[in-house]
Amino acid sequence: MNTEPKPIYGDGNPETHPLTWRLSKQANVRNADDYEALEGYAGFKKAIAMKPAEVLDVVKAATVKGRGGAGFPAGIKWSLMAPNDGGPRYLICNADEMEPGTFKDRLLMEDLPHQLIEGMLIAAYTLEATQGYIFIRGEYIEAAKYLNEALEQVRAKGYLGDNILGTGWNFDLHVHTGAGRYICGEETALINSLEGRRANPRTKPPFPQVAGAWGRPTIVNNVETFNNLPAIILRGPEWYVNLSAGKSKDPGTKIYGASGKVKFPGLWELPFGTTAREVIEDHAGGMRDGLKLKAWLPGGASTDFLAAEHIDLPMDAESIMKAGSRLGTCLLMVVDETQCMVSATRNLEEFFARESCGFCTPCRDGLPWAVKALKALENGEGKQEDIDHLQELTRKLWIGKTFCAHAPGAMEPLMGALKHFRSEFEAKVTNRPAAQASNAEQV
Amino acid sequence: MMILTDKKPRVNIEGILTSEEIHDIEHHIEHYPYPRAACLDALKCVQRRNGWVDDAQMNAIAQMLSMSVADLEGVATFYNRIYRQPVGRHVILLCDSIACFLMGAETLAEAFQRELGIQFGQTTADGRFTLLPICCLGNCDKGPTLMIDEDTHGLVEVTSVKQLLEKYL
């Protein structure tokens, strides 16, 4: 257990901490000249000396996975983009970070805005994009301000605009700020929101790569995904894959994080395959106030609860999936032994019910039923049927039954809670006076 | 009765929006291939004046963006940061998502409700504060977290609620 907080950048070595090493030199790198003095825009300059197809090959060879939560390989996503017909092609950064428990993109944008811009420039050059948008949530006021300042600086350097660095390629970037709603993080809902519509998800196919923003070919990637690109181009795909060699099949480093009642909540750049125990005990300092770990969410509200016995699992897609959950954003939330799991699950389902876009019936009407059953149990008014009903909802709101992944995401923590902590739900039914008393005590 | 759709009532934009607002909205439109993409920017821009967007302003914005008012209303009411009814001088957005919940956000919410004498969704009688819940503010290492207007406050304790509110007159 570490007895003091650990920095995000580890030993500050660019070879092992490509995303955050610059923060070991300066508390933040918001100035373009400072960033360039620290290898900044070197990856971009290397990329534009190559052909776009060659850059795509490098990204594919690095097998970099999307960092927004779904983990889809970026190179494959890119290669599905419709061929250039001379019309507009859009590149969008999903900076609508609203997955509960996730605070990595905020740090990357506030402290390293140029790294995101460099990553987007590399992607835009590769994809022959004509216009880029950074879709940032409205609440990230400082991040939007620093990004806008950084864009002005690079525009002055000629990295944005017409005929960028004499290549004949034209591209510009605009920061678009949102006005709330979790669903905007779903990529087709995000596109609708960018277009000035209600953020209802769209049917797929057509995929955004073919018909996205304004019906044109569009690629949407997460902030952290773009942040990975400069070092991949600069140091090569083999170096990138080796970052997590022997630990995981997922290549590269990841911003891991911990929140909840740990001693030092925070963020750390670590290779994929780092175990949850290493994150919680060696970086977050273990549980605070002598509390014991009861459960944890591996990467956001839309991942299944895991129990304390799973703490030695490597935090990568395959291991977490085998345990019956999902890696998500890799920022784990710890639940201590004093926390009632029924209440925690009720809080999660209230969130999902409120944030449903309301477009499809199972999600709009099903999620409030889950909240109702959970509230009844929590208040000591629940019956066995309520638990059965919740179990039934995990099937009826599952993938294929709803229009997008929102409701299935909502069912994940519920399934995890029913699987590992069913006895707590049942105790609320069998011991109703105690449940009522404990609820009254909390109020 | 026949409805003549080509004779829409026109509103006098200049009489409703300030010249700065009109200029800002025109500037926002330039960033997108179609004007309606600037509608959230336009709504937020106009909202800055009174804290919310009234019906006349909706009509003017819709006309500037070549949208129907009903269409714009659909957008305005979808997003939780656009207000279509009056709010207080300061809007408190209290994170109620799981990371803050685990750090005691519900107890903190009760403290705010007690101190202000209002529930979520209400405005104090003196028009000073509106209290609203908000989904995860991405400040989870400093939970419980909240925003007042454009300021983010982390590690907020029940005992510091009164002091925090005093900064916002």
Side-chain angles (χ1 to χ4, degrees), chain A residues 13-22 35 38-47 55 58-59 62 64 67 114-116 118-120 122 224-241 243 252-253 269:
Chain A
N13 182 349
E15 297 275 343
T16 55
H17 294 78
L19 299 172
T20 57
W21 67 274
R22 291 179 180 93
Y35 182 66
L38 296 167
E39 288 187 4
Y41 291 106
F44 167 59
K45 285 171 187 160
K46 188 175 171 187
V55 186
V58 173
V59 175
V64 54
R67 302 295 206 254
H114 284 284
Q115 192 165 267
L116 168 61
E118 183 181 4
M120 288 192 76
I122 292 167
E224 192 185 348
T225 314
F226 286 120
N227 271 269
N228 272 273
L229 301 175
I232 290 174
I233 302 300
L234 200 62
R235 297 182 203 283
E238 280 157 31
W239 159 82
Y240 186 75
V241 172
L243 279 170
T253 56
E269 181 180 0

Side-chain angles (χ1 to χ4, degrees), chain A residues 255 263 284 291 330 380 394 432:
Chain A
I255 310 270
K263 275 201 192 96
L291 290 165
C330 267
T394 65
R432 285 168 69 169

Side-chain angles (χ1 to χ4, degrees), chain A residues 309-441:
Chain A
E309 71 205 54
H310 299 111
I311 192 176
D312 287 308
L313 283 176
M315 294 273 289
D316 66 12
E318 195 180 83
S319 312
I320 299 292
M321 192 176 279
K322 271 189 191 158
S325 185
R326 215 163 52 79
L327 188 61
T329 62
C330 267
L331 277 85
L332 55 89
M333 282 180 276
V334 300
V335 181
D336 69 85
E337 60 184 342
T338 62
Q339 174 63 52
C340 165
M341 292 303 290
V342 178
S343 303
T345 312
R346 184 263 304 156
N347 171 274
L348 284 158
E349 297 312 319
E350 274 183 327
F351 162 78
F352 284 107
R354 185 179 72 202
E355 294 300 330
S356 168
C357 82
F359 178 79
C360 76
T361 308
C363 179
R364 181 190 60 240
D365 289 2
L367 291 173
W369 276 107
V371 174
K372 199 174 175 226
L374 286 161
K375 272 189 175 163
L377 289 166
E378 190 182 15
N379 297 337
E381 293 157 2
K383 300 182 186 125
Q384 180 58 39
E385 292 97 276
D386 288 315
I387 300 175
D388 300 339
H389 187 200
L390 288 169
Q391 195 73 59
E392 194 187 333
L393 284 171
T394 65
R395 289 186 296 274
K396 289 189 170 168
L397 297 188
W398 196 235
I399 299 163
K401 308 277 202 302
T402 62
F403 195 66
C404 81
H406 181 84
M411 290 301 105
E412 289 190 38
L414 177 58
M415 276 195 289
L418 288 171
K419 185 172 161 192
H420 301 296
F421 304 98
R422 199 180 187 94
S423 59
E424 284 193 36
F425 287 76
E426 282 165 353
K428 293 279 187 190
V429 177
T430 50
N431 196 357
R432 285 168 69 169
Q436 282 166 1
S438 97
N439 192 54
E441 208 171 90

